[in-house]
Amino acid sequence: MDFKEINQGKRSKFRYSVSCKGVFVACMALMCHFPVMAEGEGYAVQRNGVHFQTPEGRMRVEFVRPDIVRVRYTCEPAFLGNGTIVCTGREEEKVPFRLQRENGRLSLRSDSLEVWVDLGSYALTYKDRRTGRTLLSENPQRPREAEQTYRENVVYDPQSKRIVKTADGEKEVMDVLRRDTVGRSWKFRNHFRWAQGEALYGLGCHMEDYLDLRGKTMYLCQHNLKEMVPVLNSTAGYGLLFDAGCGMVYQDAPEGSFVELEAANEVDYYFMKGCTMDKVVAQYRYLTGQSPMFPRYMFGYIQSKERYRSSEELVDVAEEYRRRQVPMDVIVQDWNYWPQGWGYMKMDRRFYPDPRHLADSLHALDAKLMVSIWPNPTNCPQTKDFAERGFMLGHSVYDAFNPLARARYWDYANEEFFGNGFDAWWCDCTEPLDADWRAMPEGYGWDSHEERWKGNLALLDAVLGAERSCLFSLYHSKGLYENQRATTDRKRVVNLTRSSYAGQQRYATITWNGDTHASWKSFSQQIPQGLNFMATGCPYWTVDIGSFFTRGGREWFRAGDFDRGVDDMGYREYYVRMLQYGAFLPLFRSHGTDTPREIWRFGEPGEPFYDSILRMIHLRYRLIPYIYSLAGKVTQEDYTMSRLLAFDFAEDARVHDIKDEFMFGPAFLVCPVTRPMYYDKGSVTLQDVAKSRTVYLPEGADWMDFWTGKKYEGGREVTADAPIDKIPLFVRQGSIVPMGPVVQHTGELPGKELTIVVYPGRDARFVLYEDEGDNYDYEQGCFSTIELQWNDKRRVLTFGERRGGFEGMEKTRRFRVVVADGTEALGERTDGKLVRYEGKELKCRL
C-alpha cells in the first residue's frame, strides 16, 4: 500500500451501515444508565429537561439557560460524550421550566423558549416564548439518522520513511503498512428546516465564495485555506453550536438540509436563542469562553514576509521604518530560521547569533517581535526527544492532546524565544497535516472542495483519530496559552494561527485564512470568508495583505496573477487595495512569498502607491483609540469588531448577501475595491475605467462619506469615488469616533490629546476603553472606561464619570471635540472645542 492511499481516504472496507434500532434492542439491559421512564410515556423528566427513549436511540433535551438548549442523541447504551474541550466547565444551574403534553407532542417551556417534541418522530421545534414565532424546526419526518462506522489505527512502515519537500515545508512521510480496526463510531445526520427569508452565516473561513449559506453545501475540516468552526448564526435570532471534533458536512438543498457528523459518539448541539446576531455571539461565548484582550501593539501595523533571513535583516527593516517615519509595531520572523531539520525551535546561530540581543535591539526601536513555530518537528533533535517521551502522533506531529507533551513543547518555545524576550507567537500549520499540499491529481482544481475534503480528512483521521481530527489547533492553542499564563501574567498571549475551532477564542488566538494567491477573484472571495468566520463568535481574523503566492505555477494553489511581483504595476495596485481593506480588519498585517512587502518596495514618497500605503497606515494609527475601545468591547461585552452587515441591519434583506461591504465597529461602513482600475497584470495600463464603485447604504441609518462629508439617506445605492488613495468609506450618522494623532508606534499613544469626532444626525453613545496596554491586570478590573453620549437635538456631548483605573493612567486628559459638518475629519483638525477632562462628568455644548 503506497502513501497515496492516505490521501485518497480508502476506508470503505472498514465501514458499514447499520440501523440504530438493532443496537438499541441489544443494549436494553443497560437501561440503568438512564432515568426510569414513566410507564407508557417513553420519556422521563430530569432537573433541567427531559430524557427520551426513542425507537432507535436515546435523546436528551435540556435547558442550559432559559434561552440555551442542549440536545444530545445517541445510539449507544449510554451518553458517552464526544470528548472535546469546546465548552468550558460550568456548574449546572436549575432552570425552571414547565412541561405540557398535547396532541402527540411534548412542550418544554422556559421563560424565554418553547421546545416542542413530536412524540412520533422526536423532531424538535424551537419557538420564541414571548412572540410565539417559530425560530427553527428539525425535519418532522426525518429529524436525524445514524450509521455505524469503525475506528481505525493506522500503522506506518518505518522502512519507507522519507522527506518530501512541499509548498508547506519539508514533510516526513511513510507508507501505510496496515489499518487495524480498534472500535466503532457513528456518522450522524441532523436534518433541519430553515425558514424562508432567513440568512445563515458562520462555519468558519473557507475558500468558497459564499456569505449567506442558504442553498449551499460546505465540506468542513481543517487544512490550509480552511478553518472550521461548527457554529451557525441566523438572522432569525438564534445560533447552533455542534460539539464534536470530527469532520462535518453542511447542506441546504431541496433534497435535504442537514448537518452531518462524520465520526462521533453522539449528536451534541446547542440551540442558542439570541434575538440579534450579537446576542447569539454572547451565548456562544458563554458556552465556550470569553475572548481575552490582546496587547495594544497588536492593533498597529505588522510587517512580515516569507522571509527575513537574519537578525541583521530584521533590525535593518525596523530601522528603515523608523527612518522613514512610517508607523510600525510588530515585525515577524517566519520559518526556516532553524539550523537543521524542519520546525526545530532553535535559531541557526550563524544568522541569529543571539536571540536575546535580537529582541532587545527591536525593543530599543519600539518594535515587537513575533516568531513562527510549528507543531511538526521533522528530522531534528526535537523530533527524537518527543518520540522518546511518547509525545508523537504517528511519526510527524507532536501530541497536543497530551498535557505533558504540551508542557514539553512550551519548554522549547520558552527556552529559545519567550525567555529571550520574544513577544508573540505565529503558530503555523496547526491543521497540522495537509494531504493536498503534496500532489495535484488530474482534474484537481481550485473549486474541488469535496475532493480536497475527502483527502485531507482521511489523512487527519488516520493520524489524529476520526473523532478528534479537527481539534488539534484547539488543544495546541490551549497548551501555548496556559503555559505562558503560568509563566507570567506580565505579557498577554498572542497566537496568530492557521486553524481554528469552536472555543479557541478563549486561548487568545487570531486566525488568518492561509496561503492565498494574488488574484482579484481571490481577493473578493476573502472578504466573505472572514465575515463568516467572525460571525461564529471567534472575533479575531486577518489576511496576508498582498496574498501569499503572487506567481502562478503547476499546483492548484499556486495561482497568482503577478509573476513579477512588486515590479508589476498591476500587483502594486492590487497590494494597495488589499492594504486598504486590511486596515479595517481586527489585525493589520502584510505577508507573503515571491516578492518583498515593505512600503519602499512600492515606490518612494510622492509616488501614488507609496503615498496610498502611507495614508492608510496613518489612518489606522489615528483610529487606534477607537479600535482598542472595540477590543475592550469584544472582551467585556462579547462584541464583534469587523462584522457582516446583518449584525446591524438584519431587517434589511438587501444586505443579507452583500459580500464586499461590512461594518468596522458601530461607525464605519467599509467598501473595498476588488477590481483593477489603473493597471492589468503585466503593468498594462487600463483605459477608460471609472475610478469608482457602487455601494449600497443599508436602510435604517443615514450616512456620511468619511472623505468628503457628503450626506446620504440609507436604503439606496450610490456611486462612490475610489481613486487609488481612497477606499470608499462611510460613517453612520449618530456615531462617535475617538481618534489620536499619527504616532510611530502604539506605545506613544498614552497621554496624547485625542480628537472626539461626532457624526451628528442621531443621538450616539461610545465607551472609550483604556488600560495598561499589556499584562493581565485588566482581569482584576485595572482598566478605565469613559462613556461618551451625544444629544443630537441639544448638540451636547457628555463625558461621563470615569469608571475604574489602572497604574500609570493619565488622570487629566485633553480632548478636542469636532462635529463632522460636511468637511474632512481625519483627526488632524485643529478646530473644534478643546476640553480638559479630570474624571468627572463634563458637558460640552457645540
Side-chain angles (χ1 to χ4, degrees), residues 177-195:
L177 185 62
R178 66 177 188 277
R179 298 172 182 268
D180 298 331
T181 301
V182 295
R184 71 180 179 191
S185 189
W186 294 90
K187 178 196 286 190
F188 293 101
R189 274 189 181 180
N190 214 108
H191 295 265
F192 297 96
R193 283 190 171 177
W194 320 115

Side-chain angles (χ1 to χ4, degrees), residues 499-749:
S499 273
S500 190
Y501 208 71
Q504 191 169 294
Q505 78 284 342
R506 69 178 181 264
Y507 299 130
T509 57
I510 309 141
T511 302
W512 97 98
N513 59 341
D515 295 344
T516 54
H517 69 269
S519 73
W520 289 98
K521 179 180 178 181
S522 171
F523 175 24
S524 67
Q525 291 176 341
Q526 292 177 51
I527 300 169
Q529 287 175 12
L531 295 175
N532 265 317
F533 179 87
M534 290 178 281
T536 64
C538 296
Y540 289 107
W541 186 84
T542 183
V543 298
D544 291 346
I545 290 173
S547 296
F548 187 73
F549 295 110
T550 64
R551 301 171 184 166
R554 185 183 65 86
E555 303 96 333
W556 66 270
F557 50 83
R558 201 184 297 272
D561 283 342
F562 306 99
D563 289 345
R564 294 172 56 207
V566 293
D567 294 327
D568 187 333
M569 301 299 281
Y571 180 70
R572 294 189 183 193
E573 180 182 355
Y574 175 84
Y575 181 89
V576 168
R577 293 305 195 186
M578 276 207 78
L579 183 127
Q580 291 172 346
Y581 157 65
F584 296 95
L585 293 177
L587 278 299
F588 180 37
R589 51 181 284 279
S590 173
H591 182 68
T593 191
D594 300 332
T595 195
R597 307 298 169 112
E598 298 83 15
I599 184 173
W600 53 88
R601 311 293 187 175
F602 295 86
E604 290 295 332
E607 297 178 5
F609 295 123
Y610 184 103
D611 288 354
S612 298
I613 292 170
L614 183 62
R615 188 181 203 194
M616 289 311 299
I617 294 176
H618 281 175
L619 178 56
R620 175 74 179 201
Y621 276 81
R622 291 191 182 109
L623 288 173
I624 290 296
Y626 174 79
I627 295 168
Y628 200 60
S629 295
L630 295 182
K633 191 174 174 68
V634 167
T635 296
Q636 303 295 331
E637 301 179 32
D638 298 310
Y639 191 64
T640 301
M641 189 183 299
S642 297
R643 27 199 305 117
L644 54 87
L645 296 180
F647 268 94
D648 297 281
F649 306 101
E651 299 302 316
D652 184 354
R654 290 189 65 179
V655 310
H656 287 180
D657 205 31
I658 292 180
K659 303 173 186 178
D660 59 352
E661 300 177 24
F662 60 95
M663 294 296 293
F664 186 58
F668 292 98
L669 175 67
V670 184
C671 311
V673 174
T674 58
R675 60 180 177 85
M677 296 179 177
Y678 294 85
Y679 294 98
D680 200 351
K681 60 185 177 182
S683 299
V684 175
T685 302
L686 296 173
Q687 303 293 334
D688 301 322
V689 177
K691 309 303 187 288
S692 62
R693 63 152 289 184
T694 300
V695 170
Y696 176 72
L697 301 174
E699 190 174 10
D702 294 323
W703 302 89
M704 183 179 290
D705 187 311
F706 175 78
W707 305 106
T708 67
K710 185 176 180 181
K711 297 177 182 179
Y712 299 90
E713 292 182 357
R716 55 181 288 205
E717 286 188 347
V718 299
T719 299
D721 290 338
I724 192 62
D725 63 338
K726 292 181 182 178
I727 180 174
L729 185 64
F730 295 83
V731 186
R732 180 167 19 187
Q733 291 184 236
S735 294
I736 299 171
V737 179
M739 302 178 79
V742 174
V743 292
Q744 294 305 297
H745 57 90
T746 57
E748 291 182 344
L749 188 61

